[in-house]
Amino acid sequence: MGHETGLGRDRQVSRSVPAAPGVGEVRQALDRPPHRRAHLVRRGRWDAADEPVTQNVADTLPAPIALRGPDLAELVYLPGAPRPDTAPGCPPAERRDAMHAVRLANQGVNREEVVRLATHVLATPAWRDVGTFWHAVVALAYADELDEAHEQCERAVRAADWTATSRHRDALTLLRARLAWLRGAPDTAAGLLADAAVRGVHPQFSRLATAWRVAALIDLGELDRAHGLLMECDVDGQDAGVGTRVELLAARGGLHFAAGRVELAGDDFRACGRILLEWGVVNPAVVPWRSRAALCAHLLGRKTVADALARQELVAASRWGGARSVGVAMHAAALVLDGGADALREAEAVLERSKATGELLRARYDIARALDAEKEYRAARRVLERTRDLARRTGYRLWADRADTALACMVRPDGVDRLTPQERRIAELARAGLSNGRIAGELSLTKRTVEFHLTGVYRKLGIKGRRELRTILSPLR
């Protein structure tokens, strides 16, 4: 419902601008793929909707039609979505190239062409148009060309006339913050967005700024602050555009996951997936929702769903070829498909080649868990120490604290071995974030029985409660 409402609002906005001759047939052509994808998603045919079915409609239209940014508002999915428009010095060819780069990136195909188109556009006077610039820089970020995207933003900072309007200034601030986060500097990202919030962000970008700030705050371990920001922003409302709504859902899902609310996190990641599939977005570089949802399903014991999502993500990431996307997908697949420490180390090696420091820390933490399960206790401790040290150096306090807590609370092997099968199952569900009442319903037990077994779990493991239970490395089953 939210997506359909947002789509309707986008159409109203586009129609408030006088249409160019022939735009009616453009809109009819653009409507077909989204409607087909939405129909497939509603029927549960996610695999079919996953196909990159969006066609380069604009290139098939008669040349005399002057396509403007608002005319093409439904052509590509993009967070923030400032559209290339008819600014002076921004010819139609460059506008079209910028949008085509994003469209290819959304489909997860031809990464080299995406980079070529984006860099070409940014080398022309069209880079001064905020919408064209936004499209090109985001396309470079999806393609893992983070250094080039960063340099383009710094170039704009040095060009005094580029930030003459608040819309330009705030677009540039958001892009710089997002690139800082992607390049492993969550403190820089959070600082840029906090400063923007103090001075007031252009309405077009305010909610997207919140979503991206929340993502940075999670890495910094400031979960309460992130929660407060989301409480002030109606994530499930209908005021945000489609792209912004996806980013808000992804941020809230990340917060739920970090806080141990795995089921709620899975709901948010799947909601991202439904919207993205309706828009023909297959590339996990946009949002790695399948990997995240797969991990949630895995922790909740929903193996079939977890396996399917992890395999689909790995195929899509491999087709795209970006190191970050491939590493994230390999990490999720290693956990869900029980690949063990060796498979996780392969994901670690790929992530080390990217600048995805947060994802690398997450992978190393899980390597320590896998080593502990294989009774390689000294190796597990060494990996945790490396994880903690890297997290401290780079400002990822979430992972520094988790590694510290895990090192302090590593259970003796016999502690896990003394758990009964029933205690193991209950403990795993509690660690996944389910309440005692939900666990009772899942296992057809009374709530009092669940509480009794959890008390026994805490006693045998030598811990005080759920918070410490989430830090235990050893699988409990």
Side-chain angles (χ1 to χ4, degrees):
M1 173 67 74
H3 167 67
E4 292 296 333
T5 304
L7 187 58
R9 185 178 55 260
D10 288 344
R11 286 174 179 148
Q12 282 186 346
V13 170
S14 72
R15 287 166 185 163
S16 66
V17 179
V23 164
E25 62 183 279
V26 177
R27 290 194 179 119
Q28 288 181 4
L30 298 183
D31 272 343
R32 293 185 199 114
H35 286 172
R36 172 170 168 74
R37 288 191 299 268
H39 177 67
L40 291 169
V41 171
R42 284 194 295 270
R43 293 179 58 192
R45 295 182 58 192
W46 285 34
D47 286 343
D50 226 1
E51 299 279 339
V53 296
T54 304
Q55 300 299 315
N56 190 3
V57 178
D59 291 342
T60 68
L61 296 170
I65 296 180
L67 297 175
R68 292 174 289 190
D71 298 333
L72 298 177
E74 297 159 40
L75 185 56
V76 294
Y77 166 90
L78 189 69
R83 301 293 171 182
D85 215 334
T86 52
C90 184
E94 275 67 37
R95 297 202 309 274
R96 185 178 297 185
D97 283 348
M99 300 184 81
H100 187 35
V102 173
R103 184 164 57 253
L104 289 175
N106 285 344
Q107 294 172 1
V109 296
N110 209 341
R111 190 162 62 94
E112 293 78 11
E113 178 66 1
V114 169
V115 175
R116 188 193 70 78
L117 286 168
T119 53
H120 163 71
V121 167
L122 292 168
T124 71
W127 82 292
R128 294 185 180 278
D129 171 60
V130 64
T132 305
F133 185 84
W134 184 281
H135 276 67
V137 170
V138 170
L140 288 173
Y142 289 161
D144 276 358
E145 296 292 332
L146 301 181
D147 289 343
E148 175 64 22
H150 171 75
E151 178 52 39
Q152 291 292 339
C153 287
E154 294 309 301
R155 172 191 173 202
V157 170
R158 294 190 295 269
D161 59 334
W162 207 95
T163 55
T165 71
S166 63
R167 186 166 175 260
H168 277 72
R169 179 197 65 205
D170 290 341
L172 185 57
T173 297
L174 261 70
L175 288 174
R176 294 176 69 210
R178 189 60 167 181
L179 289 169
W181 181 75
L182 290 169
R183 298 172 85 224
D187 50 350
T188 300
L192 284 168
L193 293 170
D195 290 345
V198 169
R199 71 169 182 260
V201 181
H202 190 283
Q204 181 175 6
F205 303 116
S206 61
R207 293 193 176 207
L208 184 60
T210 296
W212 287 356
R213 188 178 174 192
V214 165
L217 289 173
I218 293 169
D219 288 335
L220 295 174
E222 299 183 29
L223 304 189
D224 290 341
R225 193 172 174 192
H227 176 73
L229 286 174
L230 284 176
M231 289 294 290
E232 296 172 4
C233 186
D234 186 8
V235 178
D236 298 309
Q238 301 173 358
D239 293 337
V242 172
T244 299
R245 191 177 306 117
V246 168
E247 296 294 329
L248 284 167
L249 285 167
R252 189 174 67 180
L255 179 59
H256 283 319
F257 194 85
R261 299 185 291 268
V262 178
E263 190 161 26
L264 292 175
D267 290 343
D268 279 341
F269 293 133
R270 288 192 301 276
C272 286
R274 283 191 290 272
I275 296 173
L276 290 170
L277 287 178
E278 288 187 17
W279 278 76
V281 180
V282 178
N283 192 349
V286 178
V287 176
W289 67 270
R290 295 179 196 79
S291 289
R292 301 292 188 247
L295 292 177
C296 294
H298 175 67
L299 289 170
L300 294 169
R302 299 165 185 167
K303 181 172 175 53
T304 302
V305 173
D307 287 4
L309 287 170
R311 293 179 192 278
Q312 289 169 10
E313 185 92 316
L314 191 56
V315 169
S318 299
R319 181 171 60 228
W320 177 238
R324 183 189 191 96
S325 301
V326 172
V328 170
M330 289 176 65
H331 175 205
L335 289 174
V336 170
L337 305 177
D338 299 322
D342 288 343
L344 285 166
R345 286 196 185 280
E346 291 179 10
E348 176 194 25
V350 174
L351 289 169
E352 282 181 324
R353 297 199 295 270
S354 72
K355 296 181 181 294
T357 305
E359 300 294 348
L360 176 61
L361 291 168
R362 187 192 301 265
R364 286 184 176 171
Y365 186 85
D366 286 330
I367 288 171
R369 292 182 60 180
L371 289 170
D372 188 78
E374 295 168 6
K375 303 189 184 301
E376 298 285 344
Y377 306 118
R378 291 183 180 178
R381 182 171 288 276
R382 286 196 298 271
V383 172
L384 273 179
E385 289 169 347
R386 289 176 60 215
T387 302
R388 177 198 58 198
D389 294 344
L390 176 60
R392 286 176 176 174
R393 289 198 307 272
T394 53
Y396 284 81
R397 291 190 290 277
L398 174 71
W399 291 109
D401 291 346
R402 286 192 172 182
D404 263 336
T405 304
L407 284 165
C409 299
M410 285 183 72
V411 298
R412 298 187 310 275
D414 58 347
V416 173
D417 293 341
R418 290 201 306 271
L419 297 179
T420 67
Q422 185 76 295
E423 287 173 337
R424 291 169 189 262
R425 178 62 177 149
I426 290 173
E428 282 286 13
L429 291 174
R431 187 161 66 167
L434 271 68
S435 67
N436 289 352
R438 287 296 308 276
I439 295 172
E442 289 273 341
L443 302 181
S444 300
L445 302 172
T446 66
K447 187 175 177 181
R448 178 169 295 183
T449 299
V450 171
E451 293 168 350
F452 173 79
H453 282 304
L454 279 176
T455 300
V457 168
Y458 301 151
R459 183 182 68 254
K460 291 179 182 180
L461 298 183
I463 60 178
K464 296 179 181 178
R466 282 176 179 256
R467 182 181 294 272
E468 292 186 7
L469 183 65
R470 289 202 298 269
T471 69
I472 293 173
L473 299 183
S474 300
L476 302 177
R477 284 183 275 183

